[in-house]
Amino acid sequence: MKLKDFNLIVVLLFTINGFAQTQIAGTVTDQNGEKLPYVEVFTTVGTQKVYTDKQGHFSLTVPNPGDYTLLFYKENYAALDEPFTAPTTTVKIVLHKMTNLSEVVIQKERDKVFALRKLKDVEGTAIYAGKKTEVISLDKITANKAANNPRQIYAQVVGLTINESSDGGLQLSIGGRGLNPNRTANFNTRQNDYDISADVLGYPESYYATPTEALEEIQIVRGAASLQYGTQFGGLVNFVIKSPTKKPFEFVTRNTIGSYGLFTNFTSLSGTNGKFSYYSFYNYKQGDGFRPNSGFDSKNFFANLNYQFTENTSLHFDYTYFTYLAQQAGGLTDKMFNEDPTQSNRARNWFGVNWNLFALRFKHHFNHDADFSIQLFGLDASRKTVGFRPNRISTNDKEGTVRDLIKGDFVNWGTEVRYLQKYQIKGNTSTFLIGAKYYQSNNTGIQGPGSSGNDANFNLATDEFPLYPNQSDYRFPNLNYSLFGENIFRISPSFSITPGFRIEKIKTKAIGSFRRINLDLAGNVLLDETKYEDNVKDRNFVLFGVGLSYKPQNGIEFYGNISQNYRSITFNDIRTVNAGQYISPDISDEKGFTSDIGIRGKYKNILNFDSSIYGLYYNDKIGEYPAEIGGAYVRVRDNIGTAFTYGFETMADWNLTNTFLNENPDWSWNLFANVAVTNSKYLKSEVPGVEGNSVEFVPLFNIKSGSGIGYKNFMSSIQITYVTSQYTDAENLKTGENNIGDGITGQIPAYFVADFSSSYKWRNWKLEAGITNFTDSKYFTRRATGYPGPGIIPSDTRTFYTTLEFKF
């Protein structure tokens, strides 16, 4: 298709008459006839959520004339759902204030809304029709939120593999479907819809994870998100921070103490005054970790300021500051882990992060049923590491010897604009989305000798160690343009087809030098050379995808999609960071596609479910394998081959209260099961011994199950996790083959872990407590090749926590 033809289609879609919309409008009052503002109004098949204005009036657009059920929700009032026949503008709703405000009652009212809170076909200026989406509502979770425990937080998201660590939840590392979980680098990670990773193109690792105590929900869209949010195979993870309260002022403080010196404070302020609203929080964390040399200290501040010019026009500003310093206990060999997983032989390894995020968003809703949004976002950040990390993990750390120092500075900014238009074809409402993104970065990376001390000194020590072999100084200017679009063609009220595209231009550079020094056993210089590089990779490509959705009856949906994916090579893919690693000079980008077919929905008020089969095809997959190069045993990073991952994923949540207790208002009781059965294979590879092997990070069974029960103001939950063994390298080694590979390569054995959490609320106070890993399982989820290892990184042993919350 020629560009002028494409432009003509865009113009035609923009000019399609969108005024012939069907409305349901009316007024909401309390039992005394007082008009109720800020009531949330939903429709089970609609594409938007609206609030009543100060006069209690609302107006909501529905796709076509006919029968609809609307749900009305306001905090401290009983939620109400009522049937209506559209169009109508004379709706009169009365909400009754609740006198019994126990935690169970409040939770049940939220559940009514949550049942509708799955990502709808259209939300704001985004399209999700036909995609596999999951939403974690944090109000529904009884868990260790103070430590961001991912095993509990993401318990009802199918198929995720998680790297667990003992840093108080300062970072998030999730993957799945054969994607490395390390720092969630295979997802496009966002906060309130803007990017928060170090560099979306060159270094998409997330050193910052929004504290769970500040979140309203977490939105996850699988690989088909590549068309709207970036080309990653994993998809999208979007942290949605709590909205400002409609009250003039609200103060919340939460203090947590736990095992191994854990202390956290989370304090938030929120309010609305006329057209101005705000939400801010401060989060402090410190702890010692369950292993020696693993203490951490962090500070996190966030401010959200909003101004509502009119009912349809608003401006939003976010600022995030995050800093932390952590000591890293290092990795273990298999033998060391089996002897004592709590040991550490690294006392001089440190890691520091400083993160500054900015975002400015403008939103406008047009009267002809169109939405426009534009956002500017930026990052000014750094991460620094220093430590003793030789190839042989068992080597003891000696003060007075050189440490390896790596520093990275990230300065990037971007803008994203979206326009969404609803229009009608033969009486059915379709939706068109067009958007564009501009992103640029100018980041730097320095590697060299670190000081011989044991403190967190992140300064180069070239004067102390002038002949340190691994020295580099690089600049990474990256540039990205993209144009994307999707269109929901609603063939009938129950069936839709959503094709989409993404036009991408990616230009990455690596400009700098690498100094290679070889010494003999006596310390004499055999080689001292500096290589200068000016690598430029400029590519243009188009991704396509299509989604299908069929809703035969209210509450049930069949969906399917297929979308292309792409992953550009990153900083770590093109630069050597340790002596035991070799980067292939021919390493190139990865390409492939993902596909999902499934059924989701709810049965009465008893069962919510989502079951699907998927396939992920990965061409030129980048990975590591051991090899001997130049007489040295190293791990080679290269394109390993073509891989295919496929499986069955299902999630079911059974409401036992409505099944067995006749919807008793004092009780809540549910049971959930989250099961992923996954298989994988390398279809072809030029690396000896890889073709036919299993793909890394793919356990055959990944099972999470649990139950929550509540009585009046008491809530509790128990959860079990079982994950079968998985490989961490393409050669499918069970353990390292020699002293260098010991602890770094091999299987992650199967593990079982269980958690318990509970809470009790009294007036404005809330007490939470729990035990994580109460079976005290000894297990690990990661074999690190670099920081914070290298080697096995053990997961937490049994820990306790207690949280006291006060809300005013």
Side-chain angles (χ1 to χ4, degrees):
M1 180 184 292
K2 295 181 180 179
L3 184 59
K4 64 179 183 179
D5 296 329
F6 173 76
N7 290 336
L8 178 60
I9 291 174
V10 172
V11 172
L12 288 174
L13 286 169
F14 268 100
T15 56
I16 290 175
N17 184 358
F19 290 90
Q21 298 297 307
T22 305
Q23 301 287 325
I24 300 179
T27 305
V28 182
T29 67
D30 65 11
Q31 62 266 41
N32 299 319
E34 294 291 329
K35 305 292 178 60
L36 289 179
Y38 309 121
V39 177
E40 297 180 69
V41 185
F42 302 84
T43 176
T44 55
V45 296
T47 58
Q48 63 173 312
K49 173 183 73 174
V50 299
Y51 289 90
T52 57
D53 60 20
K54 292 183 178 179
Q55 302 303 315
H57 183 266
F58 74 93
S59 178
L60 189 142
T61 301
V62 293
N64 306 291
D67 296 330
Y68 294 89
T69 298
L70 300 189
L71 186 140
F72 300 84
Y73 174 78
K74 183 177 176 65
E75 190 174 354
N76 299 334
Y77 288 81
L80 178 68
D81 54 352
E82 288 286 335
F84 298 97
T85 299
T88 178
T89 59
T90 59
V91 174
K92 293 184 179 179
I93 295 295
V94 177
L95 296 186
H96 294 270
K97 199 172 183 70
M98 294 186 298
T99 55
N100 178 7
L101 292 177
S102 71
E103 280 290 273
V104 166
V105 170
I106 293 173
Q107 184 78 342
K108 286 184 175 181
E109 295 302 310
R110 288 172 176 164
D111 285 348
K112 294 178 183 178
V113 178
F114 180 75
L116 302 178
R117 191 54 197 96
K118 298 293 184 182
L119 287 177
K120 304 187 185 77
D121 289 353
V122 177
E123 295 207 7
T125 52
I127 287 178
Y128 301 108
K131 297 178 175 63
K132 185 173 181 64
T133 67
E134 292 148 309
V135 179
I136 303 170
S137 180
L138 278 305
D139 284 338
K140 289 177 59 68
I141 295 176
T142 304
N144 187 357
K145 298 177 183 178
N148 287 6
N149 188 312
R151 190 174 59 247
Q152 294 179 291
I153 302 301
Y154 296 85
Q156 296 194 28
V157 179
V158 294
L160 288 186
T161 50
I162 301 171
N163 280 351
E164 301 176 16
S165 60
S166 60
D167 60 0
L170 300 177
Q171 296 181 16
L172 175 67
S173 292
I174 59 174
R177 300 180 172 182
L179 302 174
N180 192 333
N182 188 36
R183 296 195 182 100
T184 321
N186 286 291
F187 285 86
N188 179 247
T189 311
R190 298 191 174 201
Q191 173 181 277
N192 288 351
D193 295 321
Y194 52 86
D195 293 301
I196 63 173
S197 58
D199 184 316
V200 175
L201 301 173
Y203 200 68
E205 301 190 9
S206 298
Y207 289 101
Y208 165 67
T210 313
T212 306
E213 292 168 301
L215 291 177
E216 183 174 301
E217 62 186 31
I218 303 172
Q219 302 170 347
I220 299 176
V221 185
R222 295 305 176 106
S226 59
L227 299 182
Q228 285 187 61
Y229 294 101
T231 62
Q232 288 90 334
F233 282 82
L236 168 74
V237 176
N238 184 34
F239 300 105
V240 181
I241 295 178
K242 292 178 180 178
S243 301
T245 179
K246 300 302 181 182
K247 299 184 293 186
F249 179 78
E250 181 179 85
F251 170 81
V252 177
T253 184
R254 292 167 54 88
N255 291 277
T256 301
I257 57 174
S259 302
Y260 306 108
L262 177 67
F263 170 74
T264 76
N265 170 265
F266 177 87
T267 299
S268 68
L269 299 175
S270 180
T272 299
N273 184 5
K275 297 183 177 182
F276 175 74
S277 62
Y278 65 94
Y279 178 81
S280 66
F281 69 78
Y282 177 78
N283 187 207
Y284 174 76
K285 294 182 180 182
Q286 69 174 35
D288 299 326
F290 77 98
R291 300 171 63 198
N293 311 312
S294 58
F296 59 87
D297 181 284
S298 78
K299 302 174 183 66
N300 189 184
F301 171 76
F302 171 81
N304 163 242
L305 307 176
N306 311 280
Y307 192 79
Q308 194 77 32
F309 294 99
T310 67
E311 183 180 350
N312 294 328
T313 307
S314 60
L315 186 67
H316 313 264
F317 173 75
D318 287 3
Y319 170 66
T320 304
Y321 171 72
F322 176 62
T323 182
Y324 81 87
L325 178 66
Q327 191 173 11
Q328 298 182 319
L332 305 177
T333 64
D334 289 82
K335 180 181 178 181
M336 293 168 68
F337 176 82
N338 292 329
E339 291 174 347
D340 180 11
T342 66
Q343 66 178 295
S344 166
N345 67 344
R346 298 288 180 265
R348 303 189 299 143
N349 292 14
W350 296 88
F351 186 87
V353 163
N354 190 282
W355 229 245
N356 290 275
L357 279 164
F358 309 85
L360 182 66
R361 289 163 288 153
F362 175 81
K363 301 178 182 179
H364 180 72
H365 176 74
F366 294 96
N367 291 330
H368 57 278
D369 213 2
D371 289 277
F372 172 81
S373 68
I374 183 171
Q375 62 179 0
L376 300 170
F377 56 92
L379 172 70
D380 183 2
S382 67
R383 68 99 172 87
K384 305 172 183 177
T385 62
V386 64
F388 180 75
R389 52 189 193 113
N391 294 331
R392 288 177 172 81
I393 299 168
S394 57
T395 303
N396 289 326
D397 188 358
K398 296 180 180 179
E399 187 172 352
T401 58
V402 67
R403 295 182 290 177
D404 192 34
L405 173 71
I406 300 176
K407 300 168 65 174
D409 291 313
F410 310 103
V411 179
N412 56 61
W413 71 276
T415 182
E416 186 173 80
V417 59
R418 291 168 175 255
Y419 179 85
L420 184 143
Q421 173 72 65
K422 299 170 187 173
Y423 62 95
Q424 289 198 346
I425 298 179
K426 295 183 178 180
N428 295 309
T429 299
S430 295
T431 306
F432 171 69
L433 166 70
I434 189 74
K437 182 179 179 180
Y438 173 87
Y439 180 86
Q440 74 168 43
S441 62
N442 191 6
N443 305 319
T444 61
I446 297 175
Q447 180 175 355
S451 70
S452 59
N454 58 10
D455 59 344
N457 184 342
F458 297 114
N459 295 313
L460 282 170
T462 50
D463 292 339
E464 187 177 4
F465 302 102
L467 296 179
Y468 183 70
N470 297 327
Q471 299 184 39
S472 64
D473 189 348
Y474 278 89
R475 188 167 62 89
F476 302 100
N478 292 333
L479 187 64
N480 175 221
Y481 303 94
S482 58
L483 176 70
F484 56 88
E486 291 193 59
N487 196 110
I488 302 176
F489 292 102
R490 200 166 296 281
I491 310 303
S492 72
S494 59
F495 178 64
S496 67
I497 302 175
T498 308
F501 71 92
R502 187 179 186 92
I503 302 173
E504 196 86 9
K505 177 182 176 61
I506 298 177
K507 186 176 184 179
T508 56
K509 295 183 179 181
I511 304 169
S513 61
F514 179 82
R515 186 182 181 191
R516 179 176 288 118
I517 301 173
N518 293 339
L519 307 175
D520 62 17
L521 297 177
N524 300 310
V525 177
L526 299 178
L527 174 70
D528 185 353
E529 64 177 2
T530 300
K531 289 190 175 182
Y532 295 91
E533 294 181 299
D534 189 351
N535 295 328
V536 179
K537 291 186 177 293
D538 195 353
R539 51 275 209 212
N540 303 278
F541 56 90
V542 182
L543 302 181
F544 293 101
V546 63
L548 305 176
S549 173
Y550 176 59
K551 301 173 183 177
Q553 58 180 323
N554 194 11
I556 302 295
E557 179 186 9
F558 294 91
Y559 64 92
N561 64 76
I562 183 168
S563 292
Q564 291 177 287
N565 300 92
Y566 187 93
R567 176 185 177 273
S568 62
I569 54 177
T570 66
F571 301 165
N572 281 344
D573 294 329
I574 57 177
R575 112 184 139 180
T576 300
V577 295
N578 62 67
Q581 186 182 58
Y582 174 79
I583 306 296
S584 170
D586 299 323
I587 195 168
S588 62
D589 299 334
E590 302 167 313
K591 312 170 189 66
F593 65 85
T594 57
S595 180
D596 292 278
I597 301 174
I599 178 175
R600 59 191 171 199
K602 63 176 181 176
Y603 175 71
K604 297 182 178 179
N605 289 320
I606 295 175
L607 182 68
N608 287 298
F609 63 92
D610 187 344
S611 298
S612 65
I613 58 175
Y614 81 91
L616 190 156
Y617 180 85
Y618 219 131
N619 197 26
D620 295 325
K621 188 178 190 304
I622 293 176
E624 296 185 356
Y625 59 92
E628 185 175 319
I629 295 180
Y633 182 86
V634 296
R635 292 184 60 80
V636 178
R637 188 163 182 81
D638 197 358
N639 300 98
I640 294 178
T642 299
F644 184 59
T645 304
Y646 57 96
F648 169 74
E649 299 173 336
T650 185
M651 167 64 202
D653 193 338
W654 181 15
N655 190 322
L656 299 173
T657 308
N658 293 347
T659 305
F660 299 113
L661 300 179
N662 297 319
E663 301 188 28
N664 188 313
D666 290 332
W667 286 91
S668 70
W669 185 20
N670 80 297
L671 177 67
F672 77 88
N674 169 356
V675 178
V677 183
T678 312
N679 206 347
S680 62
K681 181 178 287 188
Y682 276 100
L683 303 179
K684 60 181 180 179
S685 175
E686 295 182 0
V687 180
V690 170
E691 188 169 316
N693 284 357
S694 297
V695 178
E696 308 94 306
F697 312 111
V698 179
L700 178 61
F701 292 103
N702 188 340
I703 301 171
K704 301 177 181 67
S705 182
S707 180
I709 189 167
Y711 177 70
K712 293 186 176 180
N713 284 312
F714 176 77
M715 309 286 289
S716 66
S717 69
I718 188 169
Q719 175 190 315
I720 60 172
T721 301
Y722 174 70
V723 180
T724 56
S725 62
Q726 54 189 292
Y727 294 106
T728 61
D729 63 273
E731 288 198 330
N732 290 180
L733 301 175
K734 291 191 175 182
T735 57
E737 292 184 332
N738 52 39
N739 289 336
I740 294 178
D742 191 4
I744 299 175
T745 58
Q747 278 185 318
I748 296 175
Y751 63 89
F752 172 89
V753 62
D755 307 295
F756 172 79
S757 297
S758 61
S759 69
Y760 180 78
K761 184 177 181 181
W762 179 75
R763 295 182 179 177
N764 294 338
W765 299 87
K766 190 174 184 180
L767 180 67
E768 302 175 8
I771 309 173
T772 55
N773 188 12
F774 64 75
T775 57
D776 202 22
S777 298
K778 305 298 189 295
Y779 70 103
F780 63 92
T781 60
R782 183 182 181 191
R783 291 180 182 268
T785 57
Y787 284 101
I792 292 171
I793 309 299
S795 296
D796 282 5
T797 56
R798 182 190 295 122
T799 59
F800 304 83
Y801 74 92
T802 300
T803 301
L804 182 63
E805 174 187 301
F806 175 73
K807 184 176 183 179
F808 172 75

